[in-house]
């Protein structure tokens, strides 16, 4: 398999059936790769914008430095998959099976994780601006380097989570749970006193508390 080669569905299937598992700098842009069996494959530096993986078995796959903006992973099997330094802007993971999957150093702004099965799903140093993360469970996790600004976090479970160098400015937090969470390492942005009620039971810093009080017109000395 030559690096940079343009593949179609049939040539990819043939290469996989012949034992190729490592695809380097391949052009798979906008292909329909739905409902294939690609479990265990590695995609390195590949071009995948708009590619359709709906229902595809991608268990234990590795994705390294891939460009996959607007790729569709709807209902795909992604258990134990690893995405490293990938551009997944506006990718769709609706109803995907993401148990023990991990994203590190990825751009996931505008990505959709609605109704994804996500036991032990992990994010590290990722941009998740405006992403749909409704009802995801982050309980007892250490969240490091996540930009969750403007993300939809309604119903998400952050109980006992620790935030390190994170941002959550203007995120939607309706019914999110923060009891026991350590928010001292999270930029919460402008928080009103009514907004602060959403963080009931969490630990915040003195500076964060002062910002909340200043937002309602109280002077902190």
């Amino acid at each position: 398999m030559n690096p940079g080669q343009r593949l179609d569905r049939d040539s990819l299937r043939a290469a996989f059936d012949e034992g190729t598992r490592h695809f380097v700098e391949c052009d798979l842009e906008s292909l329909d790769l739905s409902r294939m069996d690609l479990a265990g494959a590695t995609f390195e530096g590949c071009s995948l914008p708009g590619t359709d993986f709906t229902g595809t078995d991608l268990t234990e796959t590795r994705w390294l430095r891939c460009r996959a903006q607007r790729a569709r992973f709807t209902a795909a099997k992604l258990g134990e998959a690893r995405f490293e330094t990938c551009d997944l802007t506006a990718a769709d993971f609706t109803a995907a099976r993401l148990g023990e999957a991990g994203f590190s150093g990825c751009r996931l702004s505008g990505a959709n994780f609605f109704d994804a099965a996500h036991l032990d799903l992990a994010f590290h140093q990722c941009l998740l601006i405006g992403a749909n993360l409704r009802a995801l469970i982050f309980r007892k996790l250490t969240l490091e380097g996540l930009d969750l600004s403007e993300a939809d976090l309604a119903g998400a479970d952050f109980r006992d989570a620790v935030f390190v160098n994170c941002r959550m400015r203007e995120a939607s937090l309706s019914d999110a749970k923060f009891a026991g969470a350590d928010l001292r390492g999270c930029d919460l942005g402008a928080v009103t006193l009514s907004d602060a009620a959403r963080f009931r039971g969490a630990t915040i810093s003195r500076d964060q508390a002062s910002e909340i009080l200043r937002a309602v017109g109280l002077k902190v000395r």
Side-chain angles (χ1 to χ4, degrees):
M1 187 64 59
N2 297 322
Q5 184 174 348
R6 172 68 180 177
L7 301 178
D8 58 22
R9 181 185 178 100
D10 290 339
S11 57
L12 178 64
R13 186 194 301 276
F16 194 84
D17 290 345
E18 291 169 3
T20 300
R21 294 295 183 271
H22 195 168
F23 300 90
V24 180
E25 297 180 4
C26 290
D27 182 359
L28 303 167
E29 183 172 353
S30 300
L31 289 184
D32 179 0
L33 303 179
S34 61
R35 298 173 181 82
M36 294 182 68
D37 182 356
L38 298 173
T42 295
F43 298 93
E44 182 177 354
C46 293
S47 180
L48 302 155
T51 302
D52 186 0
F53 293 101
T54 298
T56 297
D57 189 349
L58 299 167
T59 306
E60 297 183 350
T61 48
R62 299 294 179 267
W63 310 74
L64 311 173
R65 301 182 303 282
C66 292
R67 301 172 303 283
Q69 305 94 322
R70 305 176 308 284
R72 293 185 293 282
F73 296 94
T74 307
K77 298 177 182 178
L78 282 158
E80 299 184 56
R82 294 291 181 270
F83 293 84
E84 299 178 20
T85 323
C86 293
D87 189 347
L88 293 152
T89 302
D92 189 359
F93 294 91
T94 298
R97 302 179 190 178
L98 288 160
E100 299 185 57
F103 296 84
S104 179
C106 293
R107 296 181 180 180
L108 286 154
S109 295
N112 186 4
F113 289 88
F114 178 74
D115 203 29
H118 60 281
L119 182 65
D120 294 327
L121 171 63
F123 297 101
H124 178 75
Q125 299 286 349
C126 290
L127 290 176
L128 288 151
I129 300 170
N132 183 348
L133 303 168
R134 294 176 65 92
L136 262 62
I137 298 174
F138 300 94
R139 190 173 186 181
K140 296 184 178 181
L141 298 181
T142 296
L143 306 176
E144 184 174 356
L146 303 187
D147 192 340
L148 298 161
S149 301
E150 301 178 26
D152 186 349
L153 302 172
D157 188 349
F158 292 102
R159 287 177 293 176
D160 301 309
V162 177
F163 289 77
V164 179
N165 193 28
C166 293
R167 293 167 60 88
M168 202 184 295
R169 301 174 69 91
E170 300 182 37
S172 175
L173 301 173
S174 176
D175 297 321
K177 303 176 182 68
F178 288 95
D182 186 342
L183 293 167
R184 290 175 292 179
C186 187
D187 179 359
L188 302 174
V191 180
T192 67
L193 197 58
S194 59
D195 291 333
R198 303 187 190 281
F199 303 119
R200 191 183 308 277
T203 299
I204 62 174
S205 68
R206 291 183 179 179
D207 288 343
Q208 288 169 321
S210 296
E211 285 295 327
I212 292 170
L213 293 174
R214 278 195 289 268
V216 296
L218 295 176
K219 295 180 179 181
V220 182
R221 297 184 183 277

